[in-house]
Amino acid sequence: MRKTGFFYRVYDLYVDGFRNMTLGKTLWTVIIIKLFIIFLVLKLFFFPNFIKQHAAEGEEAEFVGTEMMNRTTEVKE
């Protein structure tokens, strides 16, 4: 790989920047923990799998189609 190439220079810029970070590493850790909480913990407790609870095994697509049709006709009426 050429050490003067564009992609190498971009890569080197980011690697050197993250290596020399002090406060930034702590902030990135906080960001990753917050994303973990938002996407994993909250999804488990507040967003149940509605389709799995209301549709029979193998008929999920039909359930979604009928729900979409029912909800669009309710809005038009």
Side-chain angles (χ1 to χ4, degrees), residues 36-76:
F36 174 78
I37 290 170
I38 289 170
F39 287 111
L40 294 179
V41 174
L42 291 179
K43 184 182 181 324
L44 290 175
F45 292 113
F46 295 108
F47 302 107
N49 193 345
F50 186 80
I51 296 173
K52 187 176 182 180
Q53 293 174 353
H54 295 286
E57 183 73 28
E59 297 182 7
E60 291 89 358
E62 183 178 334
F63 173 75
V64 171
T66 55
E67 284 295 312
M68 288 176 63
M69 293 301 290
N70 291 340
R71 291 180 185 196
T72 55
T73 55
E74 289 175 5
V75 172
K76 290 181 181 178

Side-chain angles (χ1 to χ4, degrees), residues 13-29:
L13 174 75
Y14 281 101
V15 168
D16 189 42
F18 282 114
R19 188 180 305 130
N20 293 328
M21 254 191 234
T22 54
L23 179 63
K25 289 180 184 177
T26 306
L27 294 175
W28 275 108
T29 305

